[in-house]
Amino acid sequence: MKILIILTLTLYSSLCFANTEKTWFNQAVYTKYEDADEHSWQISSHYYFAPQAYFGVWDDFGYLDTDSNVLLTYTNDSDVYTGAEGEVFIGNWFIPLAIVDLGNADEDYSAGVGYLFFDSIKATVQQQRLKNAEDITWFQGQLNIDLNPNAYIGLTANTDDSLDDWRFEVRYFRGFGEQRYFTLDLSHHNNSTKNQNDFVANYYFNQHFALGLGSQASHLLIEGKYFVNHSFFVKARYQEQSDDEQSLEMSMQAQF
């Protein structure tokens, strides 16, 4: 019996490591706030109901989600809760659903409808229900532009129905050959309390190592990634939270 179990686990592990198309993504993130002497955990599990092929590097599977998927997240950051979200595709139509805390599912959740055009454009409308505030309707559009087999630009824009809270994001991905890649993520967020620009640029020296530099809320961030193989990688991020507070984030991801 023990031999059968060992052989089964060995076969399963071999299939996981041999297959570069993934369906199940699991991540654990630990964040330590240095000056505040606080820390937080987040654990997530994201499952796709169709294989996802990576785009050059081992942590990029294309810009648009075009398959049914479900994401579960546990966090103890400020409040302990478990959230759930996902998309159900029926042809080109899809239904996005999200619950911030499964323990209070009737207090903050959203549901909507969307349509996928030409496998490169997603348009979504969602209604968000809030316990202590008025309901909000959100509109989102996403666009993927393939520049060549080794490069793309991804765009995302979303806003609420009053246009008081809106966000715009851009992702640029490019391969240089010999396993070298570059990514740039830009975002602008505007509402009644913030007008914020963020960016992070990552350079992949090879399939196993990448280094990133950026700014969030005008504060420095530095990150590094090490890929053991296409199934496992770890990431470390140093970030200035304010002029007198810093955080160190460590994470690992297993994808099968």
Side-chain angles (χ1 to χ4, degrees):
M1 184 64 179
K2 291 183 178 179
I3 295 177
L4 180 59
I5 293 175
I6 293 173
L7 289 175
T8 302
L9 291 175
T10 302
L11 177 61
Y12 177 75
S13 300
S14 299
L15 290 174
C16 289
F17 283 102
N19 185 14
T20 55
E21 290 187 334
K22 311 299 182 181
T23 58
W24 190 22
F25 301 82
N26 303 280
Q27 186 179 66
V29 181
Y30 173 79
T31 305
K32 177 69 167 64
Y33 299 91
E34 297 296 337
D35 295 327
D37 196 25
E38 297 177 354
H39 61 87
S40 66
W41 278 97
Q42 184 179 88
I43 301 172
S44 65
S45 185
H46 199 172
Y47 184 79
Y48 289 82
F49 292 87
Q52 308 297 299
Y54 68 85
F55 194 91
V57 298
W58 287 336
D59 64 338
D60 190 295
F61 291 79
Y63 189 72
L64 297 181
D65 282 340
T66 58
D67 298 299
S68 296
N69 63 90
V70 60
L71 169 65
L72 296 176
T73 304
Y74 167 84
T75 181
N76 71 341
D77 187 4
S78 68
D79 291 315
V80 177
Y81 65 86
T82 301
E85 60 183 281
E87 294 174 314
V88 179
F89 277 81
I90 306 172
N92 281 22
W93 291 94
F94 61 92
I95 300 171
L97 303 167
I99 301 173
V100 173
D101 186 358
L102 293 175
N104 299 284
D106 59 336
E107 293 186 359
D108 190 346
Y109 63 88
S110 65
V113 64
Y115 192 82
L116 174 66
F117 300 87
F118 314 113
D119 287 333
S120 60
I121 302 174
K122 287 179 74 175
T124 313
V125 179
Q126 290 192 78
Q127 183 78 4
Q128 183 180 13
R129 178 72 180 271
L130 301 171
K131 180 180 179 181
N132 299 316
E134 294 183 358
D135 295 353
I136 303 174
T137 301
W138 293 95
F139 301 92
Q140 178 172 282
Q142 293 183 285
L143 171 64
N144 181 85
I145 303 172
D146 290 324
L147 302 177
N148 60 53
N150 296 307
Y152 71 77
I153 293 177
L155 306 172
T156 296
N158 56 48
T159 182
D160 63 356
D161 49 4
S162 63
L163 302 182
D164 292 330
D165 190 342
W166 56 275
R167 186 180 183 93
F168 185 73
E169 300 175 356
V170 179
R171 178 172 177 80
Y172 175 67
F173 181 102
R174 181 181 178 185
F176 296 102
E178 299 181 351
Q179 300 179 352
R180 295 176 295 116
Y181 294 87
F182 173 78
T183 63
L184 176 63
D185 292 280
L186 306 168
S187 70
H188 176 77
H189 190 186
N190 188 290
N191 61 24
S192 59
T193 61
K194 70 170 62 174
N195 186 358
Q196 181 174 316
N197 295 299
D198 302 327
F199 82 91
V200 59
N202 270 278
Y203 184 79
Y204 295 74
F205 294 87
N206 49 52
Q207 283 190 311
H208 294 280
F209 180 69
L211 186 63
L213 181 68
S215 170
Q216 187 166 3
S218 300
H219 293 100
L220 174 70
L221 70 86
I222 303 172
E223 66 181 25
K225 304 176 188 178
Y226 177 72
F227 299 85
V228 179
N229 50 48
H230 56 71
S231 291
F232 298 97
F233 69 87
V234 294
K235 182 173 75 171
R237 170 183 280 195
Y238 167 83
Q239 184 172 333
E240 294 179 345
Q241 299 289 336
S242 63
D243 293 336
D244 56 359
E245 183 178 346
Q246 301 82 35
S247 68
L248 180 62
E249 176 185 295
M250 301 292 294
S251 66
M252 64 178 181
Q253 179 155 312
Q255 49 200 33
F256 309 104

